[in-house]
Amino acid sequence: MATIAKFFIIEYGKNSELSQLTEGDCFRNDAKKLSPIKNLNCIMNEVNKLTTHFQNVDKDAFFRKYRRLVEFTRVEVLSPTVRAIVHFLDLDYRCFSFANIDLCPTIEEYGMLTEFLKTLYRIYLPLRYDKIIPELSKLLRISNLEKLLEKNATGLKLRMLEIKLEKKSGLEKERLITLGIFGLMLFPIQMGVVSLEAVAAYENTQINPVAVILAETILTLNHCRKTGKGAMRCCTQLLYIWMVSHIETKKLVFNNFLWFTQRPLKLVEEKEWGDLDNQGWVDKLESLPNSDFKWRASWVTIVKVLMSCGQRR
């Protein structure tokens, strides 16, 4: 008979770490040989213009489809925090190493934050580039959509989409807002451009994008740490919330999801982290193992896992 037990996700992580310490592990490269991080930018597009149109959309219907998507657009990211955590990326294990602590965002954690529909493990197959624009044109009911492409044809011009947004209503307006958020926040490529990769992810409406978002995050972090420069083309809002959720604060911010709308996070940023620049955050993160650190973020829920089946464990 199968046995189902309830565990915190992080407790399983502790068991894995114990096995690593007792059974040994592969050799890790010397981080000192990597290029020093000198020039690192975070691509953070302004999405306020898009969300101002949200008041004319059926909010309940939107939430059922896209869950916390709009709420994440209101998260104000401290860019020094995101730039600082790149210093701690271990290229061998694809995780952040703070002294003797290894930590990495997981599909489950990103899934809990976004609350997208629970179709986590369906295979994501993006459309071919030559099919993206025709399919999107049908979906948005916008003819000659290829005219909105920027000069390198890698994405759609945001300012042109905003003009179209003014003329739309109902479902088409909702789709345009969502497309803009996908391109500017979840899959950013450059300022003011909705990439074709983001369009392809958006068109797969039956696929949970969490795994793709996390993969893009790890890839961009890996590139920036390896080269010591570049632009972080990932959802910085999710990465930022994940990171600061593991830092204890005087005010209990992350015990529930009310901080999305009641802005207690903003108060913590101003009172406790307001004076920290990039080096200040590096110093703070270096001290995490011996100071204010939480293995499990407060918003992580209990999940059921299969521990044994008959005599097998």
Side-chain angles (χ1 to χ4, degrees):
M1 178 180 293
T3 302
I4 303 291
K6 288 186 177 181
F7 279 85
F8 285 113
I9 292 174
I10 201 64
E11 290 176 354
Y12 177 79
K14 287 184 178 180
N15 292 334
S16 299
E17 183 189 12
L18 180 61
S19 299
Q20 175 183 320
L21 293 174
T22 56
E23 299 175 10
D25 212 332
C26 63
F27 176 75
R28 299 171 87 161
N29 293 324
D30 186 0
K32 295 180 181 179
K33 297 179 180 179
L34 294 172
S35 302
I37 299 176
K38 296 181 178 180
N39 186 14
L40 189 63
N41 297 317
C42 300
I43 299 179
M44 289 187 288
N45 287 285
E46 289 288 339
V47 293
N48 295 336
K49 291 183 179 180
L50 291 176
T51 54
T52 55
H53 295 277
F54 187 67
Q55 55 187 331
N56 299 321
V57 172
D58 187 333
K59 296 178 179 59
D60 292 334
F62 190 94
F63 182 79
R64 286 193 296 271
K65 290 182 183 178
Y66 306 110
R67 311 306 287 177
R68 300 191 183 279
L69 197 58
V70 169
E71 292 177 338
F72 263 99
T73 65
R74 304 188 183 105
V75 174
E76 297 181 15
V77 176
L78 295 179
S79 57
T81 313
V82 180
R83 285 197 294 266
I85 65 177
V86 180
H87 290 76
F88 300 89
L89 183 67
D90 188 307
L91 293 179
D92 297 310
Y93 291 157
R94 303 292 195 272
C95 69
F96 299 105
S97 294
F98 307 104
N100 61 332
I101 292 176
D102 292 337
L103 201 65
C104 183
T106 65
I107 291 178
E108 289 80 7
E109 287 177 314
Y110 267 34
M112 290 177 191
L113 281 173
T114 57
E115 286 194 345
F116 278 111
L117 297 178
K118 307 299 182 181
T119 52
L120 286 176
Y121 304 110
R122 295 188 61 184
I123 297 175
Y124 171 75
L125 296 173
L127 293 173
R128 286 171 38 186
Y129 266 32
D130 59 341
K131 292 186 177 181
I132 289 178
I133 295 301
E135 291 297 325
L136 184 62
S137 181
K138 294 178 184 177
L139 191 65
L140 300 178
R141 295 183 181 179
I142 298 177
S143 58
N144 300 319
L145 193 61
E146 61 276 1
K147 292 183 179 180
L148 305 187
L149 289 169
E150 51 93 40
K151 61 180 180 180
N152 295 322
T154 58
L156 301 169
K157 300 174 184 176
L158 174 62
R159 58 185 178 84
M160 300 302 292
L161 288 179
E162 290 174 344
I163 294 174
K164 297 293 184 182
L165 186 59
E166 294 285 351
K167 302 176 182 179
K168 296 293 182 178
S169 61
L171 184 58
E172 293 169 15
K173 179 181 284 287
E174 173 192 299
R175 288 172 175 171
L176 265 174
I177 293 173
T178 308
L179 173 62
I181 295 175
F182 263 67
L184 301 180
M185 187 181 76
L186 298 186
F187 301 98
I189 184 173
Q190 65 185 76
M191 298 297 288
V193 174
V194 177
S195 68
L196 294 185
E197 289 92 341
V199 174
Y202 164 71
E203 286 183 324
N204 282 270
T205 54
Q206 299 303 314
I207 300 295
N208 189 320
V210 167
V212 187
I213 295 170
L214 184 55
E216 288 288 334
T217 300
I218 294 174
L219 285 172
T220 191
L221 289 171
N222 179 68
H223 171 76
C224 292
R225 183 65 187 95
K226 187 175 182 179
T227 61
K229 59 183 180 180
M232 297 183 63
R233 291 170 43 180
C234 62
C235 183
T236 53
Q237 286 84 354
L238 269 172
L239 182 62
Y240 172 70
I241 290 299
W242 172 82
M243 182 68 255
V244 297
S245 296
H246 291 276
I247 300 174
E248 292 183 353
T249 59
K250 296 177 182 178
K251 182 179 180 62
L252 298 178
V253 182
F254 298 104
N255 286 357
N256 52 52
F257 284 102
L258 294 178
W259 48 270
F260 271 119
T261 54
Q262 296 185 3
R263 300 179 69 81
L265 177 59
K266 186 65 176 178
L267 297 177
V268 173
E269 290 173 339
E270 293 175 350
K271 293 182 178 180
E272 300 187 33
W273 306 333
D275 297 330
L276 294 178
D277 56 8
N278 184 62
Q279 186 57 49
W281 271 103
V282 171
D283 296 339
K284 182 176 182 62
L285 296 178
E286 281 181 342
S287 67
L288 278 185
N290 302 315
S291 60
D292 301 330
F293 178 80
K294 293 186 290 187
W295 269 105
R296 180 181 67 86
S298 303
W299 40 261
V300 172
T301 57
I302 297 176
V303 297
K304 291 182 178 181
V305 296
L306 182 65
M307 298 301 297
S308 65
C309 186
Q311 299 299 317
R312 297 182 179 274
R313 291 184 178 272

